[in-house]
Amino acid sequence: MTPEILYALRDPAGVPTHPWLFLILGALTLALHMAAVQVMLGTGLLTLRGAYSRNPFWRRLAAHMLITAKIAVSVAIVIGVAPLLFVQVVYDPFWYTSNVLSAWWVIGFIFILIAGYIALYVFYWKNHHLETEGGRSGHWLVLSLALLVGVGYIVHALTNQMLFPEEWLAWYAPGGTIQPDGQQLHYSYPLRFGFFIALSLPVTGAWLLGYRRFQQGRPDADALYIAWLKPRALGLLVVGGLLAVLLGALWMLTLPEKMAWFAASPWVYVALGALLVTVALPLALGKTLDKGYWGYATFGLGAVALIVVCAVREVLRYFTLWGSHGYDALDYSVHMDWYSLILFLLTFAILGGVTLGYMLTVAWQAGQTVGRYSPSPALSRLGSLSIGLLVVWTLAYFGIGFYVWAN
Ligand code: HEM
């Protein structure tokens, strides 16, 4: 496929701000998406492991992790939309072609996701007394995790098909016969997929360390439970981290020919370093882990490591499409649209900041309270402010729309 054809597929409208902003936000929001996906899968697995145990600590952990998994799946889905928007803006010829080639799966993705989400809730509804009575109907949780991993597999295939324009014609018309049904996923790379899925283990280990620190902050902290958690969290972090690094190394060593240069590039070492430093942090901290807020530091550093991994993944894509196919994602024509850019940034910073700040503070304080929790008057005012801001935002959004339409 020549660069001219790829450029001809590009949206002639250009982009409303410089493409580098989309690339940066794409990598940043993908890292948030991956963190939520990995917490979702890891806490789901811990729930499965603990729900059927006779050990009351395992069952307590399972009950708490089930709540985490339930929330993480929503966060993963909502945040997944952000990199989706960015990838289709700066890689539109590739993303849309890949989607059309597997259209059946792009639509199926939604139904599989809904089924996976519902299966998780069915398990939750059947297990309101998981801690005291143990787990019931675990097949719903197994089904849910399988469907959710299946959803990830579809996105993985779509993301990888876009990197091989030289194959598109053969996929669309194998042997010269057009197959327009979009029923096939044409390309996947199990080591790459395995790397991202295996990262669930260390990310969940880091999450558990934070959870442990959160438990320490409760007035009724259970020292035995907190001590029991530590080796489990460290085990997940270290063994899981090494497994993920191994899969990542195998992925790099077996990269397709046109990407092979990447394996020896400094980018790979930057990502490797970020992952290894995260795994080593709690070991290096020793007893300091239990002082101050250090218990949360591993997850914080892990989030930074995920941003690095996603940025490096973007470097691989950008240079593959540029170097092998002559397509530069940074040379879109820019038609600066200040209004939508400022609206986007303000929505993100002010509306998102106030609303999320309110919800996270309430959840945090409620989790640290024994008995009934009532938010302070100042916090309740923040809640009212977030509703007020949402109303103002909606009025401004539709108001400008009607103004432009009427003029
Ligand atoms: C809930 C189950 C999900 C799982 C397990 C999952 C997993 C993954 C994985 C492993 C990747 C990296 C693929 C690769 O680079 O090879 C990925 C990327 C991505 N995911 Fe998800 N995902 C899930 C749901 C979603 C949803 C619901 C959305 C959209 C609303 C979404 C949007 C994306 C996008 C846009 C990318 C790629 C972005 C890019 O190529 O720049 N994901 N996901």
Side-chain angles (χ1 to χ4, degrees):
M1 184 124 338
T2 61
E4 290 72 28
I5 296 183
L6 293 170
Y7 275 98
L9 290 170
R10 185 183 260 191
D11 185 348
V15 288
T17 188
H18 201 282
W20 60 256
L21 187 63
F22 293 104
L23 285 184
I24 292 174
L25 288 174
L28 204 63
T29 52
L30 181 66
L32 295 177
H33 168 63
M34 291 316 304
V37 162
Q38 285 152 355
V39 167
M40 166 191 94
L41 294 177
T43 53
L45 272 183
L46 281 179
T47 306
L48 204 56
R49 165 68 183 83
Y52 299 93
S53 170
R54 285 172 195 275
N55 180 334
F57 286 167
W58 261 119
R59 288 219 300 266
R60 188 189 304 176
L61 181 64
H64 292 182
M65 291 302 112
L66 177 56
I67 297 173
T68 309
K70 194 165 66 71
I71 296 170
V73 69
S74 318
V75 179
I77 294 169
V78 172
I79 300 187
V81 177
L84 188 59
L85 298 180
F86 297 125
V87 72
Q88 64 195 6
V89 170
V90 275
Y91 292 112
D92 50 333
F94 304 89
W95 181 253
Y96 287 119
T97 308
S98 175
N99 276 238
V100 169
L101 283 168
S102 302
W104 198 89
W105 289 98
V106 176
I107 306 293
F109 170 95
I110 299 173
F111 294 100
I112 299 172
L113 181 63
I114 293 174
Y117 201 133
I118 290 177
L120 186 62
Y121 266 84
V122 173
F123 180 79
Y124 172 68
W125 285 323
K126 286 179 176 279
N127 285 282
H128 284 312
H129 304 289
L130 201 159
E131 185 173 348
T132 47
E133 296 172 10
R136 266 184 278 175
S137 311
H139 53 275
W140 285 106
L141 184 54
V142 174
L143 177 69
S144 170
L145 290 174
L147 291 172
L148 293 174
V149 171
V151 166
Y153 184 78
I154 296 173
V155 196
H156 158 79
L158 295 174
T159 287
N160 279 275
Q161 287 173 188
M162 59 185 278
L163 301 176
F164 292 90
E166 66 272 33
E167 301 288 342
W168 290 348
L169 196 57
W171 291 337
Y172 179 62
T177 312
I178 292 177
Q179 265 191 9
D181 54 26
Q183 280 186 7
Q184 271 188 39
L185 288 173
H186 300 277
Y187 186 93
S188 84
Y189 207 80
L191 285 170
R192 173 175 172 150
F193 185 59
F195 166 71
F196 282 110
I197 297 299
L199 276 178
S200 304
L201 301 174
V203 168
T204 307
W207 180 263
L208 266 192
L209 286 175
Y211 162 78
R212 185 175 164 273
R213 170 64 188 81
F214 188 73
Q215 292 291 324
Q216 284 172 331
R218 281 180 62 94
D220 61 350
D222 179 346
L224 284 178
Y225 179 56
I226 289 166
W228 177 85
L229 282 170
K230 191 171 176 182
R232 269 124 207 117
L234 289 179
L236 270 178
L237 183 73
V238 176
V239 179
L242 293 179
L243 176 69
V245 165
L246 177 69
L247 287 170
L250 290 174
W251 167 29
M252 288 299 118
L253 290 174
T254 59
L255 276 171
E257 203 183 328
K258 67 178 180 179
M259 302 176 189
W261 62 272
F262 188 71
S265 72
W267 299 104
V268 174
Y269 295 99
V270 173
L272 179 67
L275 291 175
L276 291 180
V277 168
T278 308
V279 168
L281 180 69
L283 306 176
L285 282 175
K287 288 207 165 64
T288 312
L289 190 66
D290 288 336
K291 293 190 183 135
Y293 290 103
W294 283 105
Y296 299 116
T298 313
F299 192 76
L301 187 62
V304 175
L306 280 181
I307 294 174
V308 172
V309 168
C310 289
V312 169
R313 171 187 176 279
E314 193 54 66
V315 170
L316 172 62
R317 172 161 60 191
Y318 175 80
F319 283 107
T320 299
L321 297 182
W322 191 33
S324 301
H325 301 284
Y327 182 91
D328 184 359
L330 289 174
D331 67 3
Y332 275 81
S333 52
V334 177
H335 300 292
M336 203 60 204
D337 178 352
W338 285 106
Y339 172 74
S340 54
L341 181 66
I342 290 172
L343 180 72
F344 170 78
L345 294 176
L346 288 184
T347 304
F348 201 60
I350 299 184
L351 188 62
V354 171
T355 310
L356 272 180
Y358 168 71
M359 290 197 292
L360 290 176
T361 312
V362 167
W364 184 277
Q365 292 184 347
Q368 296 269 291
T369 308
V370 178
R372 193 184 165 84
Y373 164 72
S374 306
S376 67
L379 190 56
S380 298
R381 276 198 297 279
L382 195 67
S384 307
L385 180 65
S386 60
I387 295 175
L389 281 173
L390 191 63
V391 172
V392 171
W393 188 93
T394 310
L395 290 176
Y397 184 84
F398 284 103
I400 290 285
F402 281 123
Y403 174 80
V404 172
W405 173 70
N407 291 279

